[in-house]
């Protein structure tokens, strides 16, 4: 049976059946690495287009934004109550028992982010969300937008696989991992059909993990622990709220 | 419409009144300060702490104590648009104060006992007891209005403020590498639910003076093992002008 996607009313108006849902948040990935950093933007691409910071095309685990990215499709609306940012390590490289870049604390196994790297990102990344205008509607560090996702661990003498079971690690998360740990906007943001938007991950230092480029990169001034040539940290931005989508 | 001049005010027809186009946003204001710690473990101590924050903008000097080198503020240090107050076209309602911390230096050994495993907090981690020192010794005051230094809008021990942004730390359950222990602390669970909401919000009017003081009234904090960076958030809603286009 053909699916009804459009109804022309007797007076000529066109009605498109749609529904509001709170069951599919809008989300978008990007990937960062150590080394010089260029601003990357979440929601700047749609499904099957290139994920920022990578050379691969997006799958549904990267984003569920339809269209060319940078704008809401013409047949959708969204009311955003919260923005949540979660992080995962995509790839480690090297055969060192301590991971590719020995850090002050040995790095975790994939896909967990070390506490040191999480704190470096929270310290150095500033999130600027744009809704409709080019003026940033948010201008706050990454830790202000907790993930409300992640794993809670209970360990006892845990050792990592990448160290061949010789050392442990300390794992971090962008905020607490419970669902009620999201930060709600006091005033929700609304996007209508076709309106432009994006979330820019900026780094005023120029390099995530290095807060004073004039100093040598040791100790507290260390870059992210991921190998700059192959390792990356995936950051997923989630817009939590209500979405209106077409029924077909 | 290409290259249109942004509309900021609208003259109400038939009157001499201007309607200013602005918006209310969930837009916390944040400002950073840094505390220096000197000495050799275990005899470390902080600098005297008498710091003013929300008194600089990007490009200005980050508030710091005497042993730390001055540095220019980046957008990760502050989003304040006017030093020590609100712009004429801005307004703010404060509902809560919170913070997050980062170590600038690594923590040193806290023990001279033979065979003792030193506690270790590699920067940017903050050793748990350094937060406890802040809780014990620091005073936070938010001054709103000119000449109101002795009647701050907010005054509380640092312990009263909770840390709602940051990272939990999941340890392996013992020493990660067999030679060092780990100590990491946060000011409570790093979650938005960990903020004290003011029963009466504090209003900062347009052009009103507003800044915060962070002090250690009893003198330098003896035993502080790390130089630390603290980012303080005034959580609330802000009115600011709209720029269209």
């Amino acid at each position: 049976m053909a699916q009804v996607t459009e109804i022309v009313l007797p007076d000529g108006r066109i009605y498109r059946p749609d529904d509001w849902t709170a069951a599919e948040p809008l989300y978008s990935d990007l990937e960062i690495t150590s080394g010089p950093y260029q601003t990357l933007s979440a929601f700047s691409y749609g499904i099957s287009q290139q994920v920022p910071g990578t050379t691969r095309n997006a799958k549904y685990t990267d984003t569920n934004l339809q269209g060319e990215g940078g704008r809401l499709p013409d047949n959708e609306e969204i009311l955003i109550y919260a923005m949540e940012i979660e992080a995962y390590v995509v790839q480690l490289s090297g055969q060192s028992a301590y991971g590719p870049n020995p850090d002050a604390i040995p790095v975790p196994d994939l896909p967990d982010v070390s506490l040191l790297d999480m704190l470096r990102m929270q310290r150095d990344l500033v999130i600027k969300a744009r809704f409709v205008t080019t003026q940033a509607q948010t201008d706050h560090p990454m830790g202000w937008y907790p993930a409300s996702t992640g794993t809670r661990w209970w360990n006892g003498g845990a050792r990592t696989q990448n160290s061949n079971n010789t050392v442990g690690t300390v794992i971090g998360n962008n905020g607490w991992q419970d669902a009620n740990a999201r930060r709600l906007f006091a005033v929700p943001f609304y996007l209508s059909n076709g309106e432009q938007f994006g979330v820019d991950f900026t780094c005023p230092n120029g390099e995530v993990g290095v807060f004073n480029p004039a100093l040598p990169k040791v100790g507290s001034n260390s870059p992210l622990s991921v190998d700059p040539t192959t390792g990356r940290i995936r950051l997923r931005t989630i817009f939590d709220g209500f979405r209106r989508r077409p029924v077909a | 419409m290409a290259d249109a001049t942004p509309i900021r005010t609208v003259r109400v027809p038939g009157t001499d009144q201007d309607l200013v186009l602005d918006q209310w946003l969930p837009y916390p204001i944040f400002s950073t300060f840094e505390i220096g710690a000197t000495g050799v473990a275990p005899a470390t101590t902080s600098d005297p702490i008498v710091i003013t924050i929300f008194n600089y903008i990007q490009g200005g000097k980050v508030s710091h104590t005497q042993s730390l080198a001055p540095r220019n503020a980046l957008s990760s240090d502050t989003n304040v648009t006017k030093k020590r107050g609100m712009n004429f076209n801005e307004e703010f309602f404060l509902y809560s104060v919170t913070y997050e911390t980062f170590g600038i230096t690594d923590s040193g050994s806290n023990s001279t006992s033979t065979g003792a495993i030193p506690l270790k907090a590699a920067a940017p981690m903050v050793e748990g007891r350094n937060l406890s020192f802040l809780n014990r010794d620091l005073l936070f005051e938010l001054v709103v209005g000119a000449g109101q230094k002795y009647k701050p809008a907010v005054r509380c021990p640092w312990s009263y403020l909770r840390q709602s942004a940051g990272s939990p730390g999941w340890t392996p359950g013992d020493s990660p590498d067999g030679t060092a222990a780990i100590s990491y602390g946060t000011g409570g669970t790093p979650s938005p639910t960990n903020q004290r909401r003011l029963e009466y919000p504090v209003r900062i009017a347009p052009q009103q003076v507003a800044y915060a003081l962070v002090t250690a009234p009893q003198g330098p904090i003896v035993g502080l093992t790390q130089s630390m960076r603290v980012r303080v958030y005034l959580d609330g809603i802000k009115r600011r002008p709209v720029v269209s286009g």
Side-chain angles (χ1 to χ4, degrees):
Chain A
M1 179 178 178
Q3 200 159 18
V4 176
T5 59
E6 228 174 62
I7 300 173
V8 181
L9 299 175
D11 62 2
R13 286 180 296 165
I14 298 175
Y15 172 69
R16 295 185 178 87
D18 53 31
D19 60 354
W20 282 91
T21 179
E24 187 184 359
L26 194 63
Y27 53 88
S28 181
D29 285 352
L30 52 86
E31 294 182 3
I32 68 172
T33 187
S34 57
Y37 179 83
Q38 301 280 347
T39 295
L40 298 173
S41 299
F43 302 103
S44 59
Y45 63 99
I47 296 169
S48 301
Q49 296 175 336
Q50 187 171 333
V51 178
T54 77
T55 55
R56 62 184 182 80
N57 291 334
K59 296 181 172 47
Y60 257 105
T61 45
D62 293 303
T63 187
N64 57 352
L65 179 63
Q66 308 277 347
E68 73 268 29
R71 60 189 287 274
L72 207 61
D74 292 332
N75 52 5
E76 294 189 10
E77 285 175 74
I78 187 169
L79 192 60
I80 302 166
Y81 281 93
M83 180 164 66
E84 299 143 23
I85 300 173
E86 56 176 1
Y88 301 95
V89 176
V90 172
Q91 187 170 338
L92 291 172
S93 71
Q95 285 70 50
S96 166
Y98 296 85
N101 291 308
D103 209 343
I105 299 173
V107 299
D109 291 320
L110 293 178
D112 297 304
V113 182
S114 79
L115 174 62
L116 292 178
D117 279 347
M118 185 58 68
L119 290 172
R120 288 165 182 142
M121 290 190 289
Q122 291 178 332
R123 184 191 65 197
D124 296 341
L125 288 174
V126 177
I127 311 302
K128 297 178 187 270
R130 296 171 279 106
F131 301 108
V132 183
T133 76
T134 56
Q135 184 186 35
Q137 307 291 295
T138 71
D139 186 11
H140 305 94
M142 190 180 90
W144 190 252
Y145 301 105
S148 73
T149 65
T151 300
R152 184 168 187 174
W153 296 73
W154 286 266
N155 291 330
R159 297 289 179 262
T160 63
Q161 184 177 349
N162 75 59
S163 71
N164 294 321
N165 208 35
T166 56
V167 298
T169 185
V170 184
I171 296 169
N173 202 60
N174 189 31
W176 204 238
Q177 75 288 341
D178 290 351
N180 62 2
R182 61 184 183 168
R183 189 179 298 278
L184 295 175
F185 292 123
V187 179
F189 292 105
Y190 169 74
L191 287 169
S192 184
N193 21 26
E195 289 184 329
Q196 296 181 343
F197 72 104
V199 180
D200 301 328
F201 284 65
T202 69
C203 179
N205 289 335
E207 181 172 348
V208 183
V210 178
F211 75 88
N212 187 341
L215 297 179
K217 296 179 185 179
V218 295
S220 64
N221 214 36
S222 298
L224 295 176
S225 65
V226 291
D227 187 284
T229 56
T230 55
R232 288 181 299 281
I233 295 178
R234 181 174 299 166
L235 299 173
R236 177 180 292 144
T237 304
I238 302 172
F239 281 158
D240 217 347
F242 295 96
R243 288 178 64 197
R244 180 180 67 82
R245 310 168 303 175
V247 294
Chain B
M1 188 162 57
D3 298 324
T5 301
I7 299 172
R8 294 188 172 86
T9 60
V10 174
R11 175 59 59 90
V12 179
T15 74
D16 59 356
Q17 293 177 320
D18 284 335
L19 181 67
V20 177
L21 300 181
D22 55 27
Q23 58 180 178
W24 284 94
L25 281 177
Y27 200 93
I29 308 169
F30 64 92
S31 186
T32 299
F33 68 90
E34 296 180 347
I35 300 174
T38 57
V40 178
T44 52
T45 186
S46 77
D47 301 328
I49 302 173
V50 181
I51 294 174
T52 304
I53 50 175
F54 299 98
N55 63 332
Y56 64 91
I57 59 176
Q58 293 172 29
K61 296 301 181 189
V62 176
S63 301
H64 63 281
T65 60
Q66 64 193 31
S67 69
L68 296 175
R71 65 179 183 87
N72 292 336
L74 302 170
S75 57
S76 50
D77 295 305
T78 187
N79 63 353
V80 168
T81 54
K82 179 179 183 292
K83 302 175 189 178
R84 296 172 65 103
M86 282 290 124
N87 269 321
F88 72 96
N89 54 3
E90 295 181 339
E91 194 175 347
F92 190 78
F93 278 94
L94 170 69
Y95 284 89
S96 182
V97 182
T98 186
Y99 66 92
E100 57 183 330
T101 60
F102 304 97
I104 296 176
T105 57
D106 303 340
S107 76
S109 168
N110 75 329
S111 172
T112 57
S113 300
T114 301
I117 299 175
L119 283 177
K120 177 176 179 177
M125 292 165 61
V126 174
E127 187 179 346
R129 66 183 177 140
N130 286 331
L131 287 184
S132 298
F133 279 127
L134 299 190
N135 286 340
R136 185 192 73 184
D137 290 353
L138 286 191
L139 181 71
F140 176 82
E141 296 170 289
L142 178 69
V143 177
V144 178
Q148 297 298 316
K149 180 179 177 181
Y150 298 104
K151 191 180 177 183
V154 176
R155 175 189 282 153
C156 59
W158 191 259
S159 58
Y160 193 76
L161 305 178
R162 302 285 74 210
Q163 178 180 351
S164 70
S167 175
W170 310 114
T171 64
D174 64 354
S175 168
D177 61 5
T179 62
I182 292 289
S183 171
Y184 171 66
T186 57
T189 300
S191 165
T193 55
N194 187 31
Q195 283 182 214
R196 290 190 204 274
R197 176 175 286 192
L198 300 176
E199 296 298 327
Y200 293 106
V202 174
R203 175 177 179 249
I204 305 176
Q207 290 191 287
Q208 193 166 32
V209 169
Y211 58 92
L213 296 168
V214 179
T215 57
Q218 295 184 324
I221 302 175
V222 176
L224 195 75
T225 65
Q226 291 174 277
S227 295
M228 298 169 56
R229 173 187 296 185
V230 183
R231 186 187 280 148
V232 177
Y233 295 88
L234 301 182
D235 194 4
I237 52 175
K238 186 179 183 184
R239 179 175 64 83
R240 62 173 197 177
V242 168
V243 176
S244 64

